[in-house]
Amino acid sequence: MEKNKKRRGASFFGLPLILPYVRPYLWTIVWMIILGILSSLADSVFPLFNSWALDHFVAERTLEGLPVFLALYLLLMVLQELDNYYCLYQCGRVEVLIDRDLRNAAFSHLQTLSFSYFNQNSVGYIHARTMSDTERIGELLAWRMMDVVWNVSYIIWAAAMMLVINARLAFYVLVMVPLASILILYYQKKIVKGSRQVREINSRITGNFNEGITGIRSIKALRIEDVMEAGFEEETGNMSRTAVRVARHSAVLTSSITFLSSLALALVLWRGGVLTMEGVIRVGTLSVFMTYAVGMLEPIQQIITSLSALISIQVNIERFTALLKEESDVKDSPEVVEKYGDNFHAKKENWEPLLGEVEFRDVSFMYPDGNEMVLEHFNLKVPQGRNVAIVGETGAGKSTLVNLACRFYEPTDGQVLIDGRDARERSQLWLHSNIGYVLQTPYLFSGTVRDNLRYGRPDASDEEIRQALRLASADFVVNRMEKGLDSEVGEGGGMLSTGEKQLLSIARAILADPRILVLDEATSSVDTVTERAIQDAIAAVIRGRTSFVIAHRLSTIVGADVILAVRDGKILEQGTHSELMAKKGYYYQLYTRQYEETESHRAVDSVLAGV
């Protein structure tokens, strides 16, 4: 996980950390604040209109001045509605734009990070930083900030008007403000704490629900439905109890604020009634104080609620900025970027042709999150067009060499040379644009077959796509689909079988026409007949190209130019198939054991076929 950072001070709710993303909309926010202050002024002025109407039209039983009064009243209403419309529109706009900019920045930065970051951080954790945190930041900056501005300015305007009209009567309303503030602070702390617990429990419930759906086959096979149900019910029970406790605190707080408002109203009616009877104030003035007494305390609750949310946003801001501060273990130097461009702005006019010679020169390597060397002083030169096979048991570290050759990781010591030059002397994009990589676990993007294959080469024609499909023995997959190349594959290729996805992945790599081809157990997900067809196709495709093949079935790599036998992250043997078999070492054991297992399976199949 990302390193925990010390919580900084409030620092105005962490805004300096994301100021670069707020600055483009700073003047809009300033106008929003001004408009919010003006809107609250209008709300605090309306009771004065009501007061004048009572004292003039009702008490004096006259309609003199009514047209002017109505015109001013309607004008104020229209101005306030225009003010509210523009302010709400800009709040929504600022929220969406800040959210967009934060997500774009996060996603763009994620594209620059190396494999090690994604190995150390779960998809859910990264997704929360990119989506949930950014959404919360945008929402709170736009709306909660304006809530605080409006409510604070309303209290100031209302208090000022009451003090100007009658300071002694204002005391009976304003005395409730500190009492309400203390009460709200006490219960708001409990409500915020409980709400956080509810969100945490809800996250676990979502995870359990997801496991209960996606893992339903394993659940039924293991007959653990009762265990899963008990765990789910326990979490939902915890959530309901916590949510009920939060609801109780909220109910007590709301009732208490209502009581204080009623108490303030009672005091105003008592003292104001006496003053009215004595002729010190008029009925209209009393109505103003009654309005303020009822409406003064609710803004205090909203202010404290908004401030709690704005303070809590500090965590979201720090997690988001921590993501942006993550540095990739694999970076191009400024000189390389200046000449070749970066991953988003390629300067292809300066790219040299890649021939395909790969050399490991005295390479030692330790994974960034590891504590021991995986490779030590390893040397290997792969001439252009040679086929290198890497074999070993599951978890032996076969992918390490390929990841170094593709510059997904940097060597801890030594050099990886491409065409005789250190790979770090040219850009990552230059190298990756010349590599075709077929993963053991195939992945397709949402969209059509054509869209997915064109990730390999965006300008490929339909005929070139069909040629790649034929070469990968994947044309039958597309031919059976109703819309052919226009057929949707679903999210992650979910509408296809694993074998079909692998065939399309191989076709995509072939379409890219790479100088270096990497096959990471690419045929492990297909049947024997299809595997044979793919092997014939690959034999033609790799001719003239440098290729690295991580093999599961050793019979498929006996013709490789070099075979590397890997165990526990170390290369134990290297040579041709015949050389390694003659040594009768680790590779010999792997090959003969797999051969015996294959023959045993064939014998069983023959017996079953004869039954």
Side-chain angles (χ1 to χ4, degrees):
M1 302 295 289
E2 292 176 358
K3 296 179 181 178
N4 293 324
K5 312 282 185 184
K6 285 187 177 181
R7 289 280 309 270
R8 300 177 179 82
S11 184
F12 200 62
F13 317 121
L15 290 183
L17 299 175
I18 57 168
L19 189 58
Y21 305 98
V22 177
R23 189 177 290 115
Y25 315 107
L26 202 54
W27 282 112
T28 302
I29 293 173
V30 169
W31 273 110
M32 287 162 50
I33 292 173
I34 294 173
L35 292 173
I37 294 172
L38 292 176
S39 176
S40 66
L41 174 60
D43 279 326
S44 62
V45 166
F46 276 121
L48 299 181
F49 274 85
N50 299 336
S51 171
W52 196 87
L54 283 172
D55 291 340
H56 184 72
F57 299 125
V58 177
E60 298 181 7
R61 297 179 179 276
T62 178
L63 296 178
E64 183 181 350
L66 182 61
V68 176
F69 175 85
L70 290 176
L72 291 174
Y73 195 89
L74 289 173
L75 177 63
L76 183 60
M77 286 182 60
V78 170
L79 290 176
Q80 187 189 37
E81 290 306 314
L82 291 174
D83 181 313
N84 289 340
Y85 162 76
Y86 186 75
C87 190
L88 293 174
Y89 165 70
Q90 292 299 340
C91 278
R93 179 173 171 271
V94 167
E95 176 194 8
V96 170
L97 293 177
I98 289 178
D99 191 15
R100 178 202 65 185
D101 294 348
L102 292 174
R103 286 179 176 175
N104 286 346
F107 189 81
S108 178
H109 185 68
L110 285 169
Q111 306 307 303
T112 68
L113 298 179
S114 62
F115 278 14
S116 61
Y117 177 81
F118 299 96
N119 289 339
Q120 297 173 56
N121 295 277
S122 68
V123 173
Y125 184 82
I126 297 171
H127 185 272
R129 301 294 77 75
T130 307
M131 302 300 291
S132 301
D133 284 347
T134 55
E135 181 179 8
R136 183 169 170 79
I137 292 169
E139 176 189 354
L140 292 181
L141 286 179
W143 296 104
R144 291 295 190 181
M145 187 86 71
M146 286 307 302
D147 285 343
V148 171
V149 169
W150 190 95
N151 287 298
V152 168
S153 57
Y154 176 81
I155 291 174
I156 293 173
W157 289 125
M161 291 176 185
M162 285 191 294
L163 289 170
V164 169
I165 295 171
N166 190 296
R168 292 180 62 186
L169 197 56
F171 170 78
Y172 293 104
V173 177
L174 297 179
V175 73
M176 296 300 170
V177 171
L179 295 177
S181 299
I182 294 171
L183 193 65
I184 293 168
L185 284 170
Y186 176 77
Y187 278 102
Q188 185 65 25
K189 184 177 180 181
K190 291 180 176 293
I191 292 171
V192 170
K193 181 180 178 181
S195 298
R196 286 175 179 168
Q197 291 174 345
V198 169
R199 287 198 298 270
E200 291 172 1
I201 298 172
N202 186 60
S203 297
R204 295 199 295 269
I205 290 175
T206 302
N208 290 344
F209 188 85
N210 183 60
E211 285 185 352
I213 300 301
T214 58
I216 189 64
R217 290 183 177 84
S218 298
I219 291 171
K220 289 189 176 296
L222 295 171
R223 301 183 302 281
I224 56 172
E225 292 92 341
D226 56 338
V227 176
M228 297 297 291
E229 183 182 16
F232 193 81
E233 289 182 352
E234 181 181 359
E235 292 291 3
T236 54
N238 290 336
M239 182 174 174
S240 65
R241 287 189 292 272
T242 306
V244 168
R245 187 166 62 250
V246 171
R248 184 171 65 249
H249 292 322
S250 180
V252 171
L253 177 58
T254 302
S255 301
S256 300
I257 295 301
T258 302
F259 171 76
L260 289 177
S261 296
S262 300
L263 182 59
L265 179 60
L267 290 173
V268 167
L269 284 171
W270 165 66
R271 185 57 185 167
V274 172
L275 294 175
T276 303
M277 293 293 292
E278 294 175 351
V280 176
I281 62 173
R282 304 183 70 178
V283 174
T285 302
L286 180 60
S287 74
V288 170
F289 278 88
M290 290 172 61
T291 301
Y292 290 145
V294 173
M296 179 69 79
L297 299 187
E298 184 180 351
I300 297 173
Q301 183 177 359
Q302 292 180 3
I303 289 169
I304 294 175
T305 301
S306 297
L307 286 176
S308 298
L310 285 168
I311 291 171
S312 69
I313 200 181
Q314 179 84 0
V315 176
N316 303 95
I317 291 174
E318 288 182 358
R319 291 191 304 200
F320 172 76
T321 53
L323 168 61
L324 295 187
K325 289 177 181 177
E326 284 288 336
E327 294 188 2
S328 176
D329 298 313
V330 183
K331 292 194 299 184
D332 291 332
S333 68
E335 294 78 14
V336 168
V337 173
E338 176 66 26
K339 181 177 181 181
Y340 296 99
D342 58 23
N343 286 347
F344 304 104
H345 308 93
K347 297 180 180 179
K348 294 188 177 182
E349 66 275 9
N350 296 330
W351 287 10
E352 299 92 345
L354 190 149
L355 302 177
E357 180 183 280
V358 180
E359 181 180 356
F360 296 84
R361 184 178 293 177
D362 198 31
V363 169
S364 296
F365 177 70
M366 176 192 298
Y367 281 102
D369 56 339
N371 52 20
E372 64 178 45
M373 289 293 182
V374 177
L375 292 176
E376 290 187 85
H377 306 292
F378 173 71
N379 292 277
L380 175 70
K381 186 170 184 178
V382 183
Q384 174 187 348
R386 295 297 179 88
N387 175 220
V388 178
I390 307 172
V391 302
E393 298 174 340
T394 301
K398 300 185 291 294
S399 298
T400 300
L401 282 173
V402 170
N403 288 335
L404 287 169
C406 296
R407 207 186 165 201
F408 295 141
Y409 292 96
E410 301 279 33
T412 307
D413 290 304
Q415 293 176 300
V416 176
L417 288 79
I418 305 295
D419 293 344
R421 288 178 58 184
D422 193 320
R424 288 168 288 202
E425 294 180 9
R426 286 180 282 199
S427 71
Q428 297 174 65
L429 187 60
W430 169 82
L431 177 59
H432 296 163
S433 297
N434 286 283
I435 292 175
Y437 205 126
V438 180
L439 298 168
Q440 178 181 5
T441 303
Y443 187 87
L444 299 179
F445 299 92
S446 298
T448 66
V449 174
R450 180 187 289 102
D451 294 337
N452 270 276
L453 267 66
R454 278 184 174 164
Y455 279 114
R457 201 170 93 228
D459 60 346
S461 66
D462 284 0
E463 181 54 38
E464 290 172 321
I465 291 174
R466 291 190 178 92
Q467 176 63 23
L469 288 168
R470 286 192 292 270
L471 201 56
S473 300
D475 49 340
F476 78 92
V477 176
V478 178
N479 291 339
R480 70 168 183 79
M481 301 176 81
E482 184 178 351
K483 296 183 180 179
L485 294 176
D486 293 315
S487 301
E488 294 286 333
V489 300
E491 183 179 356
M495 298 174 68
L496 303 174
S497 69
T498 302
E500 290 171 335
K501 288 190 289 185
Q502 190 65 287
L503 290 168
L504 293 180
S505 297
I506 294 172
R508 180 168 60 195
I510 292 172
L511 184 64
D513 192 23
R515 302 313 305 159
I516 298 175
L517 184 64
V518 178
L519 304 172
D520 188 350
E521 299 192 20
T523 61
S524 62
S525 302
V526 298
D527 57 71
T528 306
V529 175
T530 305
E531 179 188 29
R532 182 67 265 169
I534 292 176
Q535 289 299 328
D536 292 340
I538 289 175
V541 172
I542 65 175
R543 190 175 298 118
R545 294 183 174 87
T546 305
S547 58
F548 293 87
V549 180
I550 299 176
H552 173 69
R553 297 188 181 104
L554 303 187
S555 59
T556 63
I557 50 90
V558 293
D561 297 313
V562 179
I563 299 174
L564 306 178
V566 181
R567 185 172 65 184
D568 297 328
K570 311 292 183 182
I571 297 175
L572 300 184
E573 300 172 333
Q574 65 182 70
T576 63
H577 172 72
S578 57
E579 290 171 347
L580 296 180
M581 291 297 289
K583 288 183 179 180
K584 294 192 175 182
Y586 178 60
Y587 176 80
Y588 175 84
Q589 295 173 11
L590 287 176
Y591 188 86
T592 53
R593 183 167 68 241
Q594 192 173 101
Y595 178 80
E596 291 170 357
E597 290 174 354
T598 302
E599 290 301 311
S600 176
H601 290 156
R602 286 177 179 172
V604 171
D605 290 341
S606 298
V607 172
L608 293 176
V611 173

